Amino acid sequence: MELSKYPLKTYKDTPSDAELVSHQLMLRAGLIKKLASGLFTWMPLGLRVLRNIEDIVRAEMNQSGAFEILMPAIQPSSLWEETGRWDEYGNLLLKIHDRHDRLFCFGPTHEEVITDIVRKEITSYKQLPVNFYQIQTKFRDEIRPRFGVMRAREFQMKDAYSFHFDQSSLDNEYDKMANTYNNIFNRIGLNFRKVRADSGEIGGSMSHEYHVLADSGEDEIGYCDEENYAANVEMIDSKSAPNGGLLSFTRGIEVGHIFQLGDKYSKNMGLSVLDHEGQKISPLMGCYGIGISRIVAASIEQNHDEKGIIWPEHIAPFDYIIIALNNKNYDITSKAKEIYEAIKSSGREVMIDDRDERAGVKFAEADLIGIPNQIIVSKRGLDQGTIEHINRSSGVKEDIAINELVEKISG
Ligand code: ATP
Ligand code: MG
């Protein structure tokens, strides 16, 4: 991608209405634009990060054996009346009337819709277990939308729903999802912790949250490493862990949540399957959410410095940025272009800053948008046949021979 043609507008000044550093940097680096309270547009650079996270989540979910589907964002109120959640959710639901005056909501979550699909599609225990997931836009009319995409009203979620013949099958899938979540958050490059959690409005018996550890987190977590115990403080009613160990406290940002729902939805919505003796049973359910768009902000909370964002390798919008110092010098621009083409054909994502800007502007912008590898093409380097490689995260600078560069990158 040539930066001279790329629709990227960055800002030097910290926006006054953004409290969290992630929100400030997302606005300053031109990743998102605010439309209205809790509503954001993902601009090209930001969307690349969001899609990278989606790709990791999708690959790991597919690997786990779950099936991807895509349910409607709009849901009829009648389904929510069946479970009693229309009133329970209350004003968090964005309600909509169609032209026939029928009532709908813009889905904040999809337990009712998936249970409706499964009660029509699945009739025998032989079709279980099964796990369906989607990556989709959700809407929650939050009382206090804040921190940018961290607590938005419209946001991207991965939600999965599994159905089981018995408890041991549900336990297996719950463990499998916990492993899948470990893989996902590790690949994304987050420092996270799995904690015991409250099941909230969704109902059910057992649940765990995944928290990205950050001082700015809205949740407080109590943990005891000796007992390998961690819980959201909402769950804790004493100052010690279950075996008496002392608790330490830290703050976290909830990026994922897994639940065992039991038979609440199948009972309330009349979902049953026939067992091997032809008797009707109510399948047990699990559900598993990941806040895809919140992860972008959570990652920045953990990975930034005073100059800007530092993207972890696997979610970075580009792997390399080439900075041509002095655009007036033909040798420099043509060498920069040649390196750009070579990296591109090696299959890595590369951006070239080919704009007619001062070096200081180019460096500041490259640091702000946080691309992991900066490659500086300069007169000094060309004279000795090298470029300068700067690692955005460690700040380590290294001269690399131009003829070894591409080999190194693709190797
Ligand atoms: P919270 O406690 O933060 O309000 P929640 O427990 O209501 O979240 P879940 O129903 O568990 O959320 O949704 C699954 C995931 O979706 C959450 O773990 C979170 O990462 C993400 N999420 C929830 N609400 C929002 C929001 N308003 N904006 C962005 N992401 C959200
Ligand atoms: Mg939750």
Side-chain angles (χ1 to χ4, degrees):
M1 212 59 76
E2 288 142 294
L3 194 44
S4 61
K5 297 179 189 139
Y6 200 77
L8 173 68
K9 184 166 158 53
T10 62
Y11 301 84
K12 277 206 199 71
D13 296 327
T14 300
S16 59
D17 57 343
E19 276 174 70
L20 284 201
V21 73
S22 58
H23 188 194
Q24 295 166 359
L25 287 172
M26 287 185 80
L27 291 169
R28 284 188 53 211
L31 306 183
I32 54 167
K33 286 269 161 225
K34 180 173 169 178
L35 175 67
S37 171
L39 302 178
F40 295 89
T41 298
W42 289 85
M43 298 303 282
L45 194 68
L47 190 60
R48 280 183 162 256
V49 180
L50 193 73
R51 293 282 184 252
N52 287 342
I53 293 171
E54 258 183 52
D55 289 349
I56 292 172
V57 170
R58 180 174 284 114
E60 293 292 337
M61 288 302 293
N62 289 345
Q63 176 69 28
S64 81
F67 297 102
E68 185 170 10
I69 58 172
L70 185 57
M71 293 181 264
I74 308 288
Q75 311 180 8
S77 62
S78 54
L79 277 185
W80 287 70
E81 299 288 2
E82 288 186 49
T83 56
R85 290 211 300 174
W86 188 261
D87 293 329
E88 249 174 66
Y89 257 72
N91 286 334
L92 211 55
L93 288 178
L94 178 68
K95 294 158 191 138
I96 317 154
H97 283 99
D98 71 4
R99 65 169 73 204
H100 306 293
D101 215 27
R102 284 183 292 236
L103 189 54
F104 294 80
C105 68
F106 194 113
T109 179
H110 279 67
E111 284 78 12
E112 280 81 359
V113 179
I114 192 71
T115 306
D116 180 59
I117 294 165
V118 169
R119 73 181 164 185
K120 292 168 180 158
E121 288 290 311
I122 291 187
T123 52
S124 160
Y125 74 97
K126 291 179 189 155
Q127 294 163 280
L128 302 177
V130 66
N131 191 348
F132 292 109
Y133 80 96
Q134 63 175 348
I135 295 176
Q136 195 213 28
T137 302
K138 297 282 189 273
F139 195 99
R140 295 183 182 179
D141 205 354
E142 300 276 358
I143 301 181
R144 281 193 71 197
R146 57 181 181 157
F147 308 148
V149 298
M150 192 84 88
R151 183 166 299 285
R153 294 198 295 165
E154 188 179 305
F155 58 97
Q156 299 302 312
M157 195 200 285
K158 185 283 295 178
D159 45 329
Y161 307 89
S162 67
F163 294 83
H164 306 271
F165 178 68
D166 59 19
Q167 184 63 38
S168 79
S169 166
L170 173 56
D171 288 341
N172 280 340
E173 189 67 18
Y174 194 79
D175 290 347
K176 194 193 273 177
M177 282 296 113
N179 277 330
T180 301
Y181 277 35
N182 273 332
N183 295 342
I184 288 172
F185 297 131
N186 280 327
R187 272 179 74 179
I188 292 174
L190 296 168
N191 176 13
F192 67 98
R193 182 137 201 175
K194 176 185 174 188
V195 312
R196 292 171 194 232
D198 189 17
S199 313
E201 279 111 345
I202 272 182
S205 47
M206 156 122 86
S207 109
H208 288 87
E209 288 167 351
Y210 288 78
H211 283 266
V212 163
L213 304 178
D215 293 340
S216 57
E218 288 185 289
D219 289 89
E220 190 170 20
I221 296 160
Y223 65 95
C224 172
D225 287 330
E226 292 73 44
E227 292 185 31
N228 193 18
Y229 171 85
N232 193 314
V233 291
E234 296 165 1
M235 294 282 292
I236 298 173
D237 38 38
S238 80
K239 289 246 173 320
S240 54
N243 297 327
L246 208 61
L247 286 177
S248 303
F249 295 91
T250 183
R251 298 201 74 83
I253 301 167
E254 181 191 326
V255 290
H257 200 163
I258 60 178
F259 305 81
Q260 291 202 2
L261 298 172
D263 60 8
K264 168 177 167 171
Y265 292 87
S266 34
K267 283 248 166 77
N268 283 337
M269 294 182 65
L271 157 65
S272 62
V273 299
L274 298 179
D275 70 9
H276 55 284
E277 287 168 341
Q279 304 289 326
K280 279 186 177 176
I281 63 121
S282 304
L284 302 176
M285 245 177 107
C287 81
Y288 319 90
I290 289 185
I292 305 266
S293 41
R294 181 179 286 181
I295 288 175
V296 179
S299 172
I300 296 174
E301 287 296 320
Q302 279 189 342
N303 302 285
H304 67 269
D305 62 13
E306 66 294 344
K307 293 186 248 171
I309 300 168
I310 304 174
W311 291 116
E313 188 187 348
H314 294 124
I315 65 170
F318 291 91
D319 303 312
Y320 291 87
I321 182 164
I322 298 171
I323 300 174
L325 294 187
N326 189 354
N327 257 22
K328 304 261 177 335
N329 181 324
Y330 177 76
D331 289 346
I332 293 179
T333 52
S334 65
K335 190 48 102 183
K337 202 66 201 278
E338 196 184 308
I339 295 171
Y340 167 71
E341 293 297 341
I343 298 180
K344 215 162 77 169
S345 48
S346 81
R348 307 303 297 267
E349 297 291 342
V350 54
M351 175 176 259
I352 180 167
D353 190 346
D354 55 346
R355 297 170 308 167
D356 202 5
E357 286 284 359
R358 284 182 299 112
V361 172
K362 292 187 177 187
F363 281 126
E365 206 148 15
D367 284 342
L368 174 62
I369 65 176
I371 295 170
N373 300 283
Q374 304 173 350
I375 289 180
I376 319 300
V377 185
S378 68
K379 176 86 175 51
R380 175 190 70 89
L382 285 195
D383 289 346
Q384 57 188 48
T386 60
I387 55 86
E388 186 177 38
H389 174 265
I390 305 177
N391 179 310
R392 173 67 183 91
S393 167
S394 65
V396 169
K397 298 179 180 179
E398 164 183 35
D399 285 338
I400 301 178
I402 293 173
N403 51 18
E404 282 168 23
L405 177 70
V406 177
E407 220 171 292
K408 201 171 159 152
I409 286 171
S410 38

